[in-house]
Amino acid sequence: MELKAVFFDLDDTLYSSFKACDAYAYDQLAAWAEDELGVSGAAFTEAYRVNRHRLGRQQPGMPPVHDRVLFAQGALERMGLNAVRYARKAHRVYWDAVISQMEIRPGVTALLDDLAQAGVKAAVCTDMMADIQMEKLEYLGLADRITYLVSSEEAGMDKPGAPIFWLALQKCGCLPGEAVMVGDNFRHDVQGATDVGIGGVWLNWTHLPRPEDSRAYIEAHTFEQAADYIRTLL
């Protein structure tokens, strides 16, 4: 079958590195808590982390585990502070910091332009809330190069759950064998995609050991290597 769509994870796939961005954002949250709330920045970020993990335990695999407003709400409530007044401000501080540190991976723009010229749809298939992922794509200069955004918020379940992949296929109007998924998380991106029949490209930029897995997939260590493979399918 001909290639009709390429699905991309966003965080750590189209830009790097979310871990570094996240660490910087926690530093900015701590400074904000001290300046705005008059409390210990370390205590606030610890309460923020505790609530982040609590949500993960309570709602595993569900989109709310990514909502920084909820993280901040729980942290503020835990510290006896006004969550209604400050949770959205903390959310904004966190994401402004993350976005300011993002760097698009080499080769992303060129591949998306090649896909568009070939008539192949490009969709971002990502765990997270839709609005912040749209904002990231705007910041990275990719908004006009992406055909569809498919978030776990919209699908109702995180990867590797099947709903997000089926929704991406529906939006792009293609069958599983006519699509390829590119992502850095082997379980979420590669296993999740191949479980429904979509080709998998593992962007193993951290050089993790190959999992013991019998399914067919392509491994790349840079985005440009992944892009070269995708071009062979055009």
Side-chain angles (χ1 to χ4, degrees):
M1 291 186 183
E2 65 175 317
L3 183 67
K4 293 186 177 179
V6 180
F7 305 154
F8 298 95
D9 175 54
L10 176 50
D11 303 293
D12 279 322
T13 295
L14 297 184
Y15 76 89
S16 175
S17 121
F18 180 77
K19 183 177 180 180
C21 296
D22 183 64
Y24 176 76
Y26 270 93
D27 289 341
Q28 297 307 300
L29 271 176
W32 172 81
E34 293 182 358
D35 293 343
E36 182 82 8
L37 305 177
V39 299
S40 162
F44 178 77
T45 55
E46 177 59 23
Y48 189 94
R49 285 190 176 93
V50 166
N51 201 54
R52 185 175 187 170
H53 295 315
R54 178 184 65 81
L55 279 169
R57 292 192 304 270
Q58 289 179 345
Q59 302 186 48
M62 303 304 290
V65 302
H66 305 289
D67 192 338
R68 269 59 177 177
V69 173
L70 294 179
F71 299 173
Q73 178 183 348
L76 291 159
E77 291 172 348
R78 185 178 293 269
M79 298 181 74
L81 300 169
N82 190 327
V84 175
R85 178 183 296 275
Y86 294 112
R88 289 178 298 134
K89 292 182 180 180
H91 168 273
R92 195 64 262 167
V93 168
Y94 175 89
W95 283 120
D96 283 348
V98 167
I99 289 170
S100 73
Q101 300 301 298
M102 295 190 315
E103 294 184 5
I104 192 169
R105 288 194 183 278
V108 168
T109 300
L111 176 61
L112 293 175
D113 287 346
D114 288 347
L115 294 178
Q117 186 173 3
V120 175
K121 294 174 181 175
V124 167
C125 187
T126 174
D127 292 343
M128 193 61 76
M129 319 312 282
D131 62 341
I132 200 67
Q133 300 302 71
M134 291 177 182
E135 186 174 346
K136 290 176 185 176
L137 291 169
E138 288 273 7
Y139 179 87
L140 293 169
L142 300 178
D144 293 330
R145 291 181 166 91
I146 298 298
T147 315
Y148 297 108
L149 171 71
V150 186
S151 67
S152 62
E153 180 185 25
E154 181 184 13
M157 184 182 295
D158 280 356
K159 297 176 287 185
I164 192 169
F165 298 106
W166 288 117
L167 182 56
L169 291 168
Q170 179 184 354
K171 286 191 177 189
C172 291
C174 61
L175 299 172
E178 298 170 329
V180 171
M181 173 75 198
V182 182
D184 68 289
N185 188 302
F186 186 83
R187 178 171 178 266
H188 288 186
D189 300 317
V190 175
Q191 289 184 334
T194 56
D195 281 347
V196 300
I198 298 168
V201 179
W202 184 28
L203 180 57
N204 185 18
W205 65 277
T206 54
H207 297 273
L208 295 172
R210 281 180 74 96
E212 293 185 7
D213 196 297
S214 61
R215 74 193 70 210
Y217 64 92
I218 299 299
E219 180 178 357
H221 294 295
T222 68
F223 188 91
E224 290 171 319
Q225 288 177 355
D228 287 343
Y229 167 72
I230 291 169
R231 289 187 179 98
T232 69
L233 305 178
L234 299 179

